[in-house]
Amino acid sequence: MRIAINTGGGDAPGLNAAIRSATLSAIRRGWEVFGIRNGYGSLYSDEPFIPLTRQRVHGITLQGGTILGTANRGNPFEMPYQKKDGSWGLEDRSDEAVEVFESHNIDALVAIGGDGSMRIAHKLTQKGVPVVGVPKTIDNDIWGCEVTLGFDTAVTTATEAIDKITTTAESHRRIMVIEVMGRYAGWIALHSGLSASADVILIPEIEFSLDSIAQKIMEKEKKGETYSIVVVAEGAKEVGGDHFVKGKVIGQAEQLGGVGEYLEKKLSEMTGKESRSLVLGHLQRGGTPSTSDRLISLRFGAAAIRSLADKDFNKMIVMQQNEIRRIPLSEVADKIKLVPLDGDTILTAREIGVCLGN
Amino acid sequence: MRIAINTGGGDAPGLNAAIRSATLSAIRRGWEVFGIRNGYGSLYSDEPFIPLTRQRVHGITLQGGTILGTANRGNPFEMPYQKKDGSWGLEDRSDEAVEVFESHNIDALVAIGGDGSMRIAHKLTQKGVPVVGVPKTIDNDIWGCEVTLGFDTAVTTATEAIDKITTTAESHRRIMVIEVMGRYAGWIALHSGLSASADVILIPEIEFSLDSIAQKIMEKEKKGETYSIVVVAEGAKEVGGDHFVKGKVIGQAEQLGGVGEYLEKKLSEMTGKESRSLVLGHLQRGGTPSTSDRLISLRFGAAAIRSLADKDFNKMIVMQQNEIRRIPLSEVADKIKLVPLDGDTILTAREIGVCLGN
Amino acid sequence: MRIAINTGGGDAPGLNAAIRSATLSAIRRGWEVFGIRNGYGSLYSDEPFIPLTRQRVHGITLQGGTILGTANRGNPFEMPYQKKDGSWGLEDRSDEAVEVFESHNIDALVAIGGDGSMRIAHKLTQKGVPVVGVPKTIDNDIWGCEVTLGFDTAVTTATEAIDKITTTAESHRRIMVIEVMGRYAGWIALHSGLSASADVILIPEIEFSLDSIAQKIMEKEKKGETYSIVVVAEGAKEVGGDHFVKGKVIGQAEQLGGVGEYLEKKLSEMTGKESRSLVLGHLQRGGTPSTSDRLISLRFGAAAIRSLADKDFNKMIVMQQNEIRRIPLSEVADKIKLVPLDGDTILTAREIGVCLGN
Amino acid sequence: MRIAINTGGGDAPGLNAAIRSATLSAIRRGWEVFGIRNGYGSLYSDEPFIPLTRQRVHGITLQGGTILGTANRGNPFEMPYQKKDGSWGLEDRSDEAVEVFESHNIDALVAIGGDGSMRIAHKLTQKGVPVVGVPKTIDNDIWGCEVTLGFDTAVTTATEAIDKITTTAESHRRIMVIEVMGRYAGWIALHSGLSASADVILIPEIEFSLDSIAQKIMEKEKKGETYSIVVVAEGAKEVGGDHFVKGKVIGQAEQLGGVGEYLEKKLSEMTGKESRSLVLGHLQRGGTPSTSDRLISLRFGAAAIRSLADKDFNKMIVMQQNEIRRIPLSEVADKIKLVPLDGDTILTAREIGVCLGN
């Protein structure tokens, strides 16, 4: 058996642990293992595959990023190409990709990535390439999977940043707004905000009202608690307002800065207090994976090989009820896992007095 | 409503987060909250209860230990007392405890602790004190609960220590044996060992053979990997040998040093390689809780108050299938949760080539 | 003897250690110790001083921020006040401050702060208040002092952030620009950039040319090193261009975004590579002080009390040649300590191939 | 020019940064660089030198240990060999070493190591091998050098461990004894003990009396501070007693356990309080170097090459008064740098109420 592994989408801590685990598990079964570089990028180069050996994956569990490289753009069904007039277009080069797999006698693919990667994986299986998917995203928004690799580290990085910001907020009696990642889901904001004792946590699943937030801040003020910590997901949305993601207003032409900066200005005006904002940005993607992420990644990587060994293709490895399971890739497509508003984590937040913006 | 909170058994990271969450949730319901100090110790003093206010629990989520103090010994049913001849005995002072609760109009107790504390909690409910238990232990061995507060931090501390030891092992081409906690269960050893890429992981659930371990080390040597990392739970047991816990051989009079030191000596003799051992000990109990432990603790604390508000007494709060549930305290007594040998974590370890001692 | 302690300017990790050390040293001498809150703010309130006791300073060495609060604005010589038309002005209330000291029988002041605070301290001594200054700033730019409290932690925070960014830069083959603090000095940028193996380090002391930077990036590209890390001080200046500080162009009306964002855009255009930028901002001020900062802060705090005990007033405590010394506050005013271009740290950077922008 | 680099003695965080810096600096000068593996071990093998390239040293600054390997034993003047009867002896193989250098046209050696390594370096120069030494030791006891590479990280690791232990000590009202490294010097104990707010710090430079320590603990008890943290250097000595180093009593045949265990037992007996001890051991050697250690290591590595370029041989690179200098290797031999009892750090400890054992 000869298999290939690739990593796609934004990088996340734990990718290397999954690569190591899959590689070692496959080698112990007597298989040969190869890596595709830069998402699917190297498929179209002179060296589509690099050998993954025991030595190559030594000591990589604690390294952030991915030794294979990744790419946000460039999937076999929509590869960018430069037109004659210099502009860029997209073309379907998936047949070519399938040929490369075949001509190199690659029997199966382990595709580690986010929702986009799972969609591509599903389409590749429809073209006859046996694939098993491993769900990765710091945003934790992949449907069907209780926890994705990279999420715990991102939450930890965000929490530690808010911890640091809190001491300075308290010393200066300021409002501090920290904008975290998460795209359309509030997982990172909710978990890091709670862990770091934030006063206000704003997530895309609950539209926020500036009045509610300002009221919370002024209530604290009256109790002699003269600073406030506001954690906001990049995709949070004001009641009747627009979604922001990655510093841009979705559906609006003009650039306003991100939601963090917006809140900094508005809350300062409304409360008369000094305020500052901080966008954590790419910090949340990088660094040594947390212990929990290392373990999940190792379990996911080994489980993917087990699935291949069982000839159980076209599946995604998931963690459900603290156990490894497999679900059809077809089930995952075009779905997203949001924070459930009736879950006990939201309940806990309300019960201990966190303002959720409404 | 007036409630009391106490913490019992060895301390664990996350206790303060649970205290804070329970306190804030109760205060928001208009209840009064009090703390019992040093396990049940302060019940028999002049000041059995101290008030827990919003201000008192401010900023404690990230502090290790417990602001209430704890005690390994001293439960109302077996309080130590000094006899006339100077020696120590145990006496049942539970009636007195119940009186103290009553005379101070305490309506219910949130008991945060390990298996011992849950046993005491169960007995107190039988005496008419409404109790809800919150499971705490770095050992993760409480029956009925997928994860206990304190476990993730202990694993993280152990993993980071093994990471550090690995760089020095590699530089000196040594065998390094790291002994971790866990009593009769191998959770800490298994999770930290895997996360830190250990070569050998020894847990109480699998009796180890020195020959298997030495063979693994010599196989690595042949591949040019001239160092080995052995992670051993304090309660690991040799085939046909004795259990060690906390540096003592169980069931044997003589003191041999712990299992870590035993392995250091034996493996050095058998392989001819230099070896060193390290007992992580109390490091694993202390420090700022990990993000995951903070969140679990906050959820547990709020859930305990919710259970009290529902008049659902004599329960323990648990995490099952990633959800908060309640199970009867009576179910928990005298049971222990060991590492399941058919789980995918053990499978992963074997598949990526970790020696589990057999 | 009755003394007061205050902290002024932006907060820095280590302030609490200095407060603790000064307090304990003074108490052991039988003195009484008081804190002024929020810079000099509380002097004009009903409660100008709060008692600092052994218990109050217990356990604060490892807390970020300052238990006394601080203020960026508001010194006795230039206190903000609201005019009748609603606008704000500044007035000299230093006589009032001196009266408050006198009426409360405060014999001396330990003023912990940056260059602004040292200037105020000097002016207070001229009004007859005995003062000893302790130099604090994460920027490390106080004249006469080899190292200021807060600097090592800020560098550590910046370095760890760059470490995290590097793994994601490498995985995505990007240029990553990290903007760090430092005002007009390049200390944080130089030390963190070197420690984190940055490719380009831009400091205010050396004007940068975009061509040099782009050339460095393209040279790496040719060697197959397809990512680059650019660390830039907020006050870095382009040859013939403007200084940027804190996201604003100094001396220019229009808002351009900070130097980090500027470099991100320009370098992407010039090299054709994807690039991202990150402003670390207030992260660098906060959090638990590093071991080195804790030690320096403790030494500074005790040395300030020693200086008071020696009746050696109007001095600033400094570290010179690894020893504690005292220099006249008058020497410090209106000077700034920049990175020496002939020092061995700059030399090291050049010798190992770091591009310094010229 | 062709140069070799080796690392000797116990490993220390920062070695790889020094190797990288020296390698890059030398390559930029057009030199060829080689590594000797395992101290001087590989000199006597078939492959005495391995090439050090830009690529080989990429990304190693933040890795603990040494990519070259090291050895506690085995210097060219005293190489271990096995006698005919199976026992081991030492022989002088330095002529052979010199031949290996010559036959491979190695022009000079950068020897990174502790006092033992500096002694060897000095003897090699006397045999005609041009050497520049770089001082490395976590113990910080090398004469002539204010700070050695590895020290700051060791202190940081020890401080963080004591921080963790403190929360559990406080929760359980215990005496906790933490034994740290340092051989005959108290640098690690003093710096980590102060940084972590220890109550008692015992260093080899000051003989301790058990009575003084017990008295300090009981004084705290009276003030309601019911726990105590004792940090002890492995080489601390009781008044009229024996030195302990590395768990052995120096000059006494019998094995007693280390000084930490000794204090645990004695102090518990004397005070009637529960106590625990912990030996940090090899944790202190390992892991990612602190920012400060990375910077010092980079500066030392580059300075060593600068010294070679200046043809200034037989020198050791040192940090004096925050500047890089060179001193003759001959000056260093057989000297040790102890904690100065009249320095301000000791004074600070006394002034803030730390018990130094006397």
Side-chain angles (χ1 to χ4, degrees), chain B residues 9-11 38-39 63-73 153 157 160-165 167-174 176 274 276-288, chain D residues 9-11 38-39 63-73 153 157 160-165 167-174 176 274 276-288:
Chain B
D11 68 321
N38 306 337
Q63 290 175 11
T66 158
I67 59 166
L68 295 175
T70 184
N72 280 343
R73 271 177 230 97
T153 309
T157 297
E160 290 176 353
I162 308 169
D163 282 351
K164 282 187 208 280
I165 290 294
T167 59
T168 181
E170 197 162 1
S171 299
H172 284 275
R173 298 165 304 288
R174 281 175 183 152
M176 294 296 255
E274 234 182 51
R276 296 282 187 280
S277 65
L278 183 74
V279 180
L280 288 189
H282 282 78
L283 274 189
Q284 297 161 86
R285 311 204 81 84
T288 294
Chain D
D11 67 323
N38 308 336
Q63 291 175 10
T66 157
I67 58 167
L68 294 176
T70 184
N72 281 342
R73 271 177 230 97
T153 309
T157 296
E160 290 177 353
I162 307 168
D163 282 351
K164 282 186 209 280
I165 291 295
T167 61
T168 181
E170 197 162 2
S171 299
H172 285 275
R173 300 165 303 287
R174 282 176 184 151
M176 294 296 256
E274 236 183 50
R276 297 281 187 282
S277 65
L278 184 74
V279 180
L280 288 189
H282 283 78
L283 275 188
Q284 297 160 88
R285 310 204 82 84
T288 295

Side-chain angles (χ1 to χ4, degrees), chain D residues 23-319:
Chain D
T23 300
L24 293 180
S25 298
I27 288 174
R28 277 181 73 86
R29 284 179 162 87
W31 304 357
E32 282 177 279
V33 189
F34 300 90
I36 307 173
R37 281 161 302 125
N38 308 336
Y40 290 93
S42 67
L43 284 186
Y44 306 97
S45 74
D46 291 343
E47 195 192 11
F49 303 102
I50 53 166
L52 288 177
T53 60
R54 185 177 164 77
Q55 198 171 1
R56 183 66 196 83
V57 300
H58 175 77
I60 65 172
T61 293
L62 49 64
Q63 291 175 10
T66 157
I67 58 167
L68 294 176
T70 184
N72 281 342
R73 271 177 230 97
N75 84 58
F77 299 89
E78 293 182 348
M79 288 298 284
Y81 74 101
Q82 201 160 13
K83 297 180 188 169
K84 284 178 185 164
D85 65 0
S87 68
W88 288 83
L90 298 172
E91 58 184 337
D92 184 343
R93 296 178 69 183
S94 56
D95 288 337
E96 200 178 332
V98 174
E99 272 174 39
V100 175
F101 281 114
E102 283 172 2
S103 66
H104 285 75
N105 298 314
I106 300 296
D107 300 304
L109 171 68
V110 174
I112 312 175
D115 54 357
S117 300
M118 294 306 117
R119 222 165 14 240
I120 298 166
H122 180 51
K123 288 168 82 175
L124 280 176
T125 62
Q126 292 175 319
K127 290 222 155 197
V129 182
V131 188
V132 169
V134 171
K136 167 250 35 155
T137 165
I138 64 165
D139 300 329
N140 198 34
D141 61 353
I142 297 187
W143 193 88
C145 191
E146 274 167 19
V147 62
T148 53
L149 75 88
F151 174 59
D152 187 66
T153 309
V155 171
T156 297
T157 296
T159 301
E160 290 177 353
I162 307 168
D163 282 351
K164 282 186 209 280
I165 291 295
T166 300
T167 61
T168 181
E170 197 162 2
S171 299
H172 285 275
R173 300 165 303 287
R174 282 176 184 151
I175 301 168
M176 294 296 256
V177 181
I178 299 101
E179 181 183 316
V180 299
M181 287 186 164
R183 290 195 306 175
Y184 302 99
W187 294 103
I188 295 179
L190 181 62
H191 284 219
S192 65
L194 269 172
S195 298
S197 305
D199 301 294
V200 180
I201 301 173
L202 306 175
I203 59 176
E205 291 86 349
I206 300 176
E207 300 192 350
F208 66 81
S209 130
L210 287 172
D211 285 337
S212 302
I213 305 170
Q215 192 182 332
K216 167 76 183 177
I217 292 167
M218 296 317 290
E219 268 171 25
K220 281 200 70 178
E221 197 80 13
K222 275 177 213 154
K223 290 178 191 158
E225 301 172 2
T226 56
Y227 74 98
S228 284
I229 302 295
V230 179
V231 175
V232 58
E234 59 182 351
K237 184 180 187 299
E238 192 175 351
V239 177
D242 299 289
H243 262 289
F244 291 83
V245 168
K246 297 189 194 295
K248 292 192 181 59
V249 182
I250 296 172
Q252 214 179 314
E254 56 183 324
Q255 166 93 22
L256 273 188
V259 64
E261 204 178 319
Y262 174 77
L263 287 166
E264 174 193 346
K265 285 178 190 158
K266 288 289 182 187
L267 293 176
S268 187
E269 286 167 23
M270 293 171 79
T271 64
K273 290 185 67 65
E274 236 183 50
S275 70
R276 297 281 187 282
S277 65
L278 184 74
V279 180
L280 288 189
H282 283 78
L283 275 188
Q284 297 160 88
R285 310 204 82 84
T288 295
S290 72
T291 293
S292 169
D293 265 336
R294 296 192 207 177
L295 191 64
I296 287 170
S297 302
L298 293 170
R299 290 169 70 186
F300 277 10
I305 299 304
R306 219 177 292 136
S307 193
L308 290 183
D310 292 346
K311 307 284 178 206
D312 190 11
F313 305 129
N314 203 6
K315 291 286 166 64
M316 183 173 82
I317 304 300
V318 295
M319 187 75 75

Side-chain angles (χ1 to χ4, degrees), chain C residues 15-252:
Chain C
L15 287 173
N16 284 327
I19 292 169
R20 173 170 168 264
S21 171
T23 300
L24 294 178
S25 298
I27 289 174
R28 277 181 73 86
R29 284 178 162 88
W31 303 358
E32 283 176 279
V33 190
F34 301 89
I36 307 173
R37 280 160 303 127
N38 306 336
Y40 291 92
S42 68
L43 284 186
Y44 306 97
S45 73
D46 291 341
E47 195 192 10
F49 302 102
I50 53 167
L52 288 176
T53 60
R54 185 178 164 76
Q55 198 170 1
R56 184 65 196 85
V57 301
H58 175 76
I60 65 172
T61 294
L62 48 64
Q63 290 175 12
T66 158
I67 59 166
L68 294 176
T70 184
N72 280 343
R73 272 178 228 95
N75 84 59
F77 298 91
E78 295 182 346
M79 288 299 282
Y81 75 101
Q82 201 158 12
K83 296 180 191 171
K84 285 177 187 164
D85 64 358
S87 68
W88 289 83
L90 298 173
E91 59 185 338
D92 184 344
R93 296 178 69 182
S94 56
D95 289 336
E96 200 179 331
V98 173
E99 273 173 38
V100 175
F101 281 114
E102 282 173 2
S103 66
H104 285 75
N105 298 314
I106 299 297
D107 299 305
L109 171 68
V110 174
I112 313 176
D115 53 359
S117 300
M118 293 306 118
R119 222 166 12 240
I120 298 166
H122 181 50
K123 287 167 83 174
L124 281 176
T125 62
Q126 291 175 319
K127 289 222 156 197
V129 183
V131 189
V132 169
V134 171
K136 164 256 32 158
T137 166
I138 63 166
D139 300 329
N140 198 35
D141 61 354
I142 296 186
W143 194 87
C145 192
E146 273 168 18
V147 63
T148 53
L149 75 87
F151 175 59
D152 187 66
T153 310
V155 172
T156 298
T157 297
T159 301
E160 290 177 354
I162 307 168
D163 283 350
K164 282 188 209 280
I165 291 293
T166 300
T167 59
T168 181
E170 197 162 2
S171 299
H172 284 275
R173 298 166 303 290
R174 281 175 183 150
I175 301 168
M176 294 296 255
V177 181
I178 299 100
E179 182 184 315
V180 299
M181 285 188 165
R183 290 196 305 175
Y184 303 98
W187 294 103
I188 296 178
L190 181 62
H191 283 219
S192 66
L194 269 172
S195 297
S197 305
D199 301 295
V200 179
I201 301 174
L202 306 176
I203 61 177
E205 291 87 348
I206 301 175
E207 301 193 348
F208 65 81
S209 130
L210 287 172
D211 285 337
S212 301
I213 306 169
Q215 192 183 334
K216 168 74 184 178
I217 293 167
M218 296 317 292
E219 268 171 25
K220 281 199 70 177
E221 198 80 14
K222 274 178 211 153
K223 290 178 189 156
E225 300 172 1
T226 56
Y227 74 100
S228 285
I229 302 294
V230 178
V231 175
V232 59
E234 58 181 352
K237 184 179 185 303
E238 191 175 351
V239 178
D242 300 288
H243 263 288
F244 291 82
V245 167
K246 297 192 193 296
K248 293 191 182 59
V249 182
I250 296 172
Q252 215 179 314

Side-chain angles (χ1 to χ4, degrees), chain A residues 9-11 38 64-66 69-70 72 157 161 164-165 167-168 171-174 176 274 276 278 280 282-283 286-287, chain C residues 9-11 38 64-66 69-70 72-73 157 161 164-165 167-168 171-174 176 276 278 280 282-283 286-287:
Chain A
D11 68 322
N38 306 337
T66 158
T70 183
N72 281 342
T157 297
K164 282 187 209 280
I165 291 293
T167 60
T168 181
S171 299
H172 284 274
R173 299 166 303 288
R174 280 176 185 151
M176 294 296 255
E274 235 184 50
R276 296 283 187 279
L278 184 74
L280 288 189
H282 283 79
L283 274 188
Chain C
D11 68 322
N38 306 336
T66 158
T70 184
N72 280 343
R73 272 178 228 95
T157 297
K164 282 188 209 280
I165 291 293
T167 59
T168 181
S171 299
H172 284 275
R173 298 166 303 290
R174 281 175 183 150
M176 294 296 255
R276 297 281 186 281
L278 184 74
L280 287 188
H282 283 78
L283 275 187

